[in-house]
């Protein structure tokens, strides 16, 4: 069965600092991987996705993520964090043609001015 | 842009009431999903549907049922609401089987059962 871990429950960074959120997955075949962001009281918004090809994928809001098969990881990065990036971030894996999404527990990001 | 609309942002219901949560998507997606989200537990799948009148149980279907009479609408029903069903409920849709498309979420319904 698929599973997703996000080792960091809560991360605090200063505005302008770089950010890396970790995601590790367990899946037997080629995974389809996603990062979502959730602002307080809102639904989840897709940041980026990886299906195949280039292992470094670009998303919205200046985010990128790198798929590393050897490490079963799909870490999310941003070179310079803005105060509006404060939110909860979810990594997800899908392996059944759009019917079986498994989400990680989420990482809450706080941004200091 | 895909739009997934949940009919209510906030609901307050009494224990034992029958509760309907409605979700509509406007992109002709085949798959629709209902999740609940609780602090420390993340997103848990309640039910999903891959076609009209078709449904599959997710990880936590107990106490819930669903209805999909039309492709664009997926309803979650709490037959007899209980306080442990107080939660944030998220509806989502995706393109369909054989298409590796992401989930598109609504803004959620925060349900409080008193």
């Amino acid at each position: 069965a698929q599973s997703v871990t996000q080792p960091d429950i809560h991360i605090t960074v200063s505005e302008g600092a770089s950010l890396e959120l970790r995601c590790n997955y367990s899946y037997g075949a080629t995974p389809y991987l996603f990062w979502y962001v959730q602002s307080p009281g809102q639904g989840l918004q897709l940041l980026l996705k990886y299906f195949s090809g280039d292992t470094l994928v670009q998303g919205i809001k200046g985010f990128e993520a790198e798929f590393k098969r050897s490490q079963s990881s799909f870490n999310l990065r941003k070179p310079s964090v803005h105060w509006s990036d404060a939110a909860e971030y979810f990594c997800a894996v899908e392996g059944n043609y759009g019917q079986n999404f498994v989400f990680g527990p989420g990482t809450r990001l706080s941004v200091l001015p | 842009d895909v739009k997934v609309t949940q009919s209510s942002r906030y609901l307050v219901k009494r224990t034992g009431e029958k509760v309907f949560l409605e979700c509509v998507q406007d992109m002709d997606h085949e798959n629709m999903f209902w999740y609940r989200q609780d602090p420390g537990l993340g997103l848990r799948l309640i039910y999903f549907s891959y076609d009209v009148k078709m449904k599959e149980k997710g990880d936590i279907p107990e106490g819930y049922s669903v209805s999909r009479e039309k492709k664009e609408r997926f309803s979650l029903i709490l037959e007899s609401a209980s306080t442990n069903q107080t939660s944030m409920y998220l509806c989502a849709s995706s393109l369909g089987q054989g298409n590796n498309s992401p989930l598109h979420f609504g803004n959620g319904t925060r349900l409080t059962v008193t």
Side-chain angles (χ1 to χ4, degrees):
Chain A
Q2 299 134 258
S3 66
V4 178
T5 56
Q6 294 178 247
D8 305 304
I9 296 173
H10 185 204
I11 285 181
T12 300
V13 300
S14 296
E15 191 168 20
S18 64
L19 172 70
E20 182 168 26
L21 301 182
R22 296 182 290 164
C23 171
N24 292 96
Y25 67 90
S26 172
Y27 185 63
T30 301
Y32 301 106
L33 296 159
F34 308 86
W35 274 100
Y36 287 86
V37 61
Q38 185 180 33
S39 298
Q42 301 293 316
L44 277 70
Q45 180 184 20
L46 180 70
L47 281 176
L48 47 78
K49 60 185 184 285
Y50 171 78
F51 289 156
S52 64
D54 194 345
T55 56
L56 184 64
V57 292
Q58 303 296 320
I60 62 171
K61 306 187 183 197
F63 285 92
E64 67 178 26
E66 187 170 14
F67 170 58
K68 292 185 177 179
R69 185 186 299 276
S70 61
Q71 298 177 19
S72 298
S73 70
F74 189 54
N75 293 350
L76 182 72
R77 300 193 293 248
K78 187 169 184 178
S80 177
V81 170
H82 187 262
W83 63 266
S84 61
D85 293 325
E88 188 143 23
Y89 291 80
F90 293 91
C91 181
V93 62
E94 196 283 313
N96 188 27
Y97 297 106
Q99 293 188 355
N100 188 15
F101 291 83
V102 175
F103 286 84
T107 297
R108 185 161 62 93
L109 174 66
S110 297
V111 180
L112 299 175
Chain B
D1 233 13
V2 177
K3 188 152 186 179
V4 179
T5 303
Q6 294 183 233
S7 54
S8 304
R9 291 298 304 275
Y10 300 95
L11 274 180
V12 180
K13 297 292 182 180
R14 294 189 184 275
T15 301
E17 277 193 81
K18 191 169 185 175
V19 182
F20 292 85
L21 303 183
E22 306 287 348
C23 175
V24 176
Q25 51 93 3
D26 66 355
M27 282 301 291
D28 205 34
H29 282 178
E30 292 182 8
N31 297 334
M32 295 189 75
F33 305 77
W34 275 106
Y35 290 87
R36 66 176 281 177
Q37 183 179 23
D38 301 287
L41 297 177
L43 276 76
R44 293 180 291 168
L45 181 64
I46 305 171
Y47 269 96
F48 75 94
S49 167
Y50 54 89
D51 201 352
V52 175
K53 298 192 185 294
M54 305 303 288
K55 61 186 179 185
E56 293 284 344
K57 292 180 180 179
D59 300 318
I60 51 163
E62 297 79 18
Y64 303 94
S65 62
V66 289
S67 171
R68 193 161 180 207
E69 296 296 318
K70 293 184 178 181
K71 191 173 187 179
E72 67 271 19
R73 186 179 297 271
F74 192 36
S75 303
L76 180 69
I77 304 155
L78 287 65
E79 295 288 343
S80 177
S82 64
T83 54
N84 64 12
Q85 292 178 309
T86 292
S87 186
M88 170 74 107
Y89 290 87
L90 293 168
C91 176
S93 70
S94 69
L95 196 54
Q97 192 165 14
N99 295 286
N100 299 310
S101 75
L103 288 174
H104 300 268
F105 283 87
N107 281 332
T109 296
R110 185 164 294 282
L111 172 67
T112 302
V113 183
T114 62

